[in-house]
Amino acid sequence: LRVTPHMARSFYAAVARRGRSEEIAQLSNVQKAWRLHKAMQVLEVDVDIDEIRFCNYDGYTVCVAAKQQAMLQGIHEQEKNSFYLTREMGSCIYEEVGARYGIRSREYQHMQSLNNECLEPIGDPWNPQGRRLSVPPKMFYALKVLNIRIPEWEFNG
């Protein structure tokens, strides 16, 4: 099975949806595909790490049985429009708010006063017809001031 970077992101999103993102958060695919390997284990596709080979052209080649391949392709099909936001990505978003507005700005200070400990119902600023989103407040505010819209939210804690 060819696992493209887009497919791998689908697998990471599926891991997060299962509430197990911490198991892959500290892993990487730099020297070996440890993060992809662990994600596949969480998704109940157990393959030997040596059966995952990096391909310079387009991600990884993974040796799996036909049933496992169908399962992984199904997960990708279900999650292909999902996006898993890592802590590192979140930090970059918060830094960008500081870079654009300044760390002494009202926007940055307000963002820093928020947290993502729990979801809060917030009116959708892009669809003000009464639609409410359940979102992590700090991340939502940061993306809002950067004018980045995420239409559907699912939070893995």
Side-chain angles (χ1 to χ4, degrees):
L1 172 68
R2 171 77 66 206
V3 177
T4 65
H6 185 66
M7 286 180 77
R9 281 191 298 274
S10 296
F11 301 158
Y12 305 148
V15 168
R17 194 176 302 278
R18 292 179 183 201
R20 296 180 62 184
S21 59
E22 288 299 316
E23 295 180 41
I24 64 170
Q26 302 303 319
L27 299 174
S28 78
N29 292 325
V30 174
Q31 292 181 350
K32 276 200 171 205
W34 292 112
R35 186 173 196 190
L36 178 60
H37 180 256
K38 183 61 178 180
M40 291 174 61
Q41 284 181 331
V42 169
L43 299 173
E44 299 171 7
V45 176
D46 198 17
V47 297
D48 188 89
I49 187 72
D50 293 323
E51 296 298 321
I52 303 173
R53 293 182 202 89
F54 179 70
C55 173
N56 288 333
Y57 176 70
D58 189 16
Y60 295 89
T61 300
V62 182
C63 295
V64 292
K67 186 176 179 181
Q68 293 172 315
Q69 179 174 338
M71 187 174 154
L72 289 171
Q73 288 172 327
I75 290 168
H76 173 60
E77 200 54 40
Q78 181 181 1
E79 299 289 346
K80 67 183 177 185
N81 293 322
S82 298
F83 185 76
Y84 171 63
L85 194 67
T86 66
R87 288 180 192 207
E88 294 81 15
M89 292 173 183
S91 294
C92 290
I93 290 168
Y94 303 142
E95 288 174 15
E96 183 61 23
V97 172
R100 285 194 195 179
Y101 291 92
I103 60 171
R104 299 197 193 296
S105 69
R106 185 183 74 222
E107 291 84 355
Y108 186 80
Q109 294 298 318
H110 178 68
M111 178 193 72
Q112 289 296 76
S113 74
L114 301 170
N115 67 58
N116 294 321
E117 291 298 314
C118 60
L119 299 178
E120 290 184 13
I122 296 176
D124 184 348
W126 292 279
N127 184 6
Q129 280 90 350
R131 181 172 177 221
R132 308 226 10 112
L133 300 171
S134 187
V135 298
K138 184 176 183 178
M139 179 55 64
F140 183 80
Y141 180 79
L143 292 170
K144 185 176 101 174
V145 299
L146 295 173
N147 201 28
I148 298 171
R149 180 176 186 248
I150 297 180
E152 293 182 33
W153 287 79
E154 193 164 314
F155 187 61
N156 64 306

